[in-house]
Each structure stands twice: as structure tokens, then as C-alpha cells.
Amino acid sequence: SVEGGAGANVFGSAMSTDGSYYMATTFATKANNVKVSFDGVVMEGIEGSAHASNNNNLMLQKVGKDGTVAWSLYTKKGDVSSINLASTSDGGVIAVVKSRAWDAAEGLTNLLEIIDAKGASTIINDPKTTSGEYRFSVLKITADGTVAWNRIISGQVKEYSGKFTTDNAYVNSCVVDADDNIYLGGNFRTTLVFAKVDNTTVTLTAKNTPDSYFNTQNSVGDLFLAKLDKDGYYVNSIVGEGTCTMAYIDKMIEKNGKLYVDGRVQGEGYTLGGKAILANDSYQTPYLAALSTSDFTVDYVNTFAVTANSASRFVIQNKAMNMIGDNLYLTGALNGGLAADGITVNTEA
């Protein structure tokens, strides 16, 4: 386990093509304790930001089957919020890092400073950030722990009645296909801007954004799915259509040219690729969809019927998705009732 001066969190893992594992952790440090340890042993030369708050740092490690750490990569600038990992065919890994440049002393445009496995520094700078806006950095990390490239995904920050949010999107899942194309799925509430290989950009615009969107405790906005090429440049995308309270992609799996998507929608009248998502108007409704990776044609969208528990509550959390043979397995947390194909599952608070 990785330990920093103010706690640590494990965010994700991915199995490398060489049989090793990539492990992503955040560690928070503070002014009087910036040392980091692994299994109780101080990792020499690795220090996080020396500022007192808002300094969650990334630790990415390549670990062998026996638990031996091959190398460690970490950040020392930027406040890291989330990480998604997906292995590539050459033994490397794609890391999608959500971070903000929060501390003025470190520079409000410095999203991240990465110290790679060989000790080299890479600073990811976004001159468009001015108030601690979150951005997504799509990073290609090589098998030996160096940064091959990075691409920034940005989004619009709006203001309403004197209030604003710096947090406009969530990347909940990242997968890579056999050709190393990258697929990102999640939720957004304003815009998302992707870079193309010809130096132009593509902007996705959310439609279901009520005035309360600035409150990140509220679940609002649209689902999105974006395809990037093996170098991180935009190729294609699909966004939900129609009206809803909120729509998310939570988990994805790619197999044989198909993307299998697990997510949630609340609100009637929402579609994906022309297929209706038959969601409940009062509760978040889980759905399962299949799409072609080539053009995002939607094969099907299936939803689960949801019912509230005796306390009139329904809560669903999609935590994991796996495919064994030709069967999909979904795991998570449930408070209420789910029904599909004549089978009903109920839980109580």
C-alpha cells in the first residue's frame, strides 16, 4: 500500500500485456509531512506538494505478479481527482487523469507535474485555466514508465447568479481495443473539447443542464462516449439525445468490435443512437447497451425496471463490469428493487 502524509486512495488497476499490473493511487501530503512510503518503507526521492491542502498526488506503479514494484511514477503539482487506466498492446498504459491547478503558488495553469520512472519531469500546462478548473489529461505511459504523450480534454465553466462550477464532467470508464484506439465514457454538464490530429478541435455540448448544474452534488447532464486514436486524437463520439434529469455511462467493455456499456438514466424521453432508454422519471434507472466500435451504431439498449424500497428510496451504484465467455456480469450496490426478464431482486435500507 502507498501512504502519504494525509492518507491515500486506490483509484484503479489494469493488467499489462506482459503479465504485470498497473496500480493507480492518490496520496495527499501536507506542509510538515511530504514523504511517501510503500508498505511502510519510505520511497526515497518521492515527495508530494508541500502545500497544506488541495494537493492529491498521483502514484502510478508497475507491479509484478509477485508484488515486486518495477517502477513508480508520481505527480508533485496539481490536485488529482480521479484516474482511469487501460493497458495498451505494447505493454504500456493509458491513464486518464482528472486534475486541477488549484494552488496559486504552484501556478494556476500547471495541471500536473509528472516525475517519471527515470526521474524526468513533464509539466502539463493549460493556459486556459484561471480559477482551478478541472481538466482531463489523457496520458500514454510507456512500459518502462516514461510519458510518451499527453492530450488535454477541456470543458466550459459557466456562471449562474454569481455561482460557478469548475467541475463539468466525469470520465467513469476507459477501454482500449486491439488497435489501441481509446474509448472514454461518462457524463458532462456543459461542453467537452477534444483535439484532432489536424490541430482543430471538436466540441460536444450537453443539453440537459438546468440552472442548478453548478452544484456538483446534483446529478444532471448528458452521457457521452468518445473514441480517440492510438495517439489520443479525437475520432468519433456519441451523446445521448432527448430530455432527462441525468444520464451517465459508468462502465464499459470492448470485445470483438463491440462496446458494452453499463450506465444510469433518470427521466423519460431519452435515447442513445435512436434507441429509447426506457428510464424511470423519478429514479436513476440502470441500462445496458451494445455499440459498434467502428461507427457507434447502437445494437440494443436494455433497461431494468426499478422500484423504491419501503422508505421510498432507490439507489443504484454500478461498480464493475466483466465478460466471461459470452456473458456479461455487472456488480455494484443496490437499495430498492430491480427487475428484468421476470426476475426481481429487492433490498431494504
Side-chain angles (χ1 to χ4, degrees):
S1 63
V2 175
E3 298 173 355
N9 295 286
V10 177
F11 267 92
S13 63
M15 187 174 182
S16 172
T17 53
D18 64 8
S20 300
Y21 293 88
Y22 289 106
M23 304 295 298
T25 309
T26 60
F27 63 94
T29 53
K30 53 190 179 182
N32 61 353
N33 188 349
V34 295
K35 291 296 184 182
V36 182
S37 62
F38 182 79
D39 281 351
V41 179
V42 172
M43 303 175 72
E44 295 297 334
I46 296 180
E47 295 183 352
S49 168
H51 295 277
S53 62
N54 299 314
N55 58 314
N56 283 319
N57 307 282
L58 163 67
M59 174 71 73
L60 178 64
Q61 296 177 299
K62 188 173 185 180
V63 182
K65 293 180 180 179
D66 61 355
T68 302
V69 177
W71 51 255
S72 298
L73 169 155
Y74 70 100
T75 62
K76 61 186 297 185
K77 287 183 182 179
D79 177 33
V80 175
S81 174
S82 69
I83 308 135
N84 285 274
L85 301 179
S87 297
T88 55
S89 62
D90 59 2
V93 65
I94 298 296
V96 184
V97 182
K98 182 178 182 178
S99 67
R100 59 180 174 175
W102 181 256
D103 199 314
E106 298 287 6
L108 287 178
T109 63
N110 291 328
L111 291 178
L112 292 170
E113 181 178 358
I114 303 169
I115 308 300
D116 70 19
K118 300 184 183 301
S121 171
T122 298
I123 295 178
I124 299 177
N125 184 280
D126 183 4
K128 297 178 181 178
T129 62
T130 58
S131 302
E133 302 97 318
Y134 280 104
R135 297 288 189 250
F136 292 93
S137 300
V138 182
L139 307 171
K140 170 60 185 297
I141 308 300
T142 64
D144 59 358
T146 61
V147 180
W149 50 257
N150 73 83
R151 311 284 175 243
I152 294 175
I153 302 172
S154 60
Q156 183 180 5
V157 176
K158 292 184 177 180
E159 184 174 343
Y160 175 77
S161 297
K163 299 179 180 179
F164 72 97
T165 179
T166 60
D167 193 355
N168 78 309
Y170 304 88
V171 173
N172 294 329
S173 187
C174 171
V175 298
V176 171
D177 66 19
D179 295 321
D180 287 332
N181 295 303
I182 304 160
Y183 302 87
L184 308 179
N187 161 275
F188 73 122
R189 57 185 66 197
T190 55
T191 61
L192 287 176
V193 182
F194 297 86
K196 297 182 68 176
V197 69
D198 62 1
N199 291 322
T200 62
T201 60
V202 169
T203 300
L204 307 184
T205 302
K207 305 173 188 66
N208 292 285
T209 53
D211 290 341
S212 61
Y213 86 94
F214 61 81
N215 184 350
T216 56
Q217 299 301 312
N218 295 338
S219 295
V220 300
D222 289 287
L223 66 84
F224 77 92
L225 173 59
K227 179 179 181 178
L228 313 180
D229 67 17
K230 63 182 180 62
D231 297 311
Y233 291 109
Y234 175 91
V235 175
N236 195 10
S237 63
I238 185 171
V239 176
E241 297 290 341
T243 58
C244 67
T245 301
M246 51 74 70
Y248 281 71
I249 288 175
D250 290 321
K251 301 297 177 184
M252 300 189 299
I253 288 178
E254 188 278 335
K255 185 176 182 180
N256 299 329
K258 295 291 183 184
L259 273 175
Y260 299 92
V261 174
D262 177 22
R264 296 162 288 138
V265 172
Q266 181 179 336
E268 300 173 353
Y270 203 65
T271 65
L272 179 63
K275 300 284 195 304
I277 301 179
L278 303 177
N280 191 295
D281 204 37
S282 300
Y283 304 109
Q284 296 183 15
T285 304
Y287 70 89
L288 182 65
L291 304 87
S292 167
T293 58
S294 61
D295 60 4
F296 286 164
T297 297
V298 178
D299 293 344
Y300 64 79
V301 178
N302 294 333
T303 53
F304 296 83
V306 302
T307 55
N309 62 16
S310 59
S312 299
R313 297 183 68 241
F314 178 84
V315 179
I316 184 74
Q317 296 179 3
N318 299 319
K319 292 296 188 181
M321 184 181 188
N322 290 287
M323 177 172 276
I324 302 175
D326 292 327
N327 296 314
L328 289 169
Y329 294 83
L330 314 178
T331 57
L334 173 67
N335 191 336
L338 280 181
D341 298 328
I343 300 173
T344 301
V345 176
N346 286 289
T347 67
E348 285 296 328

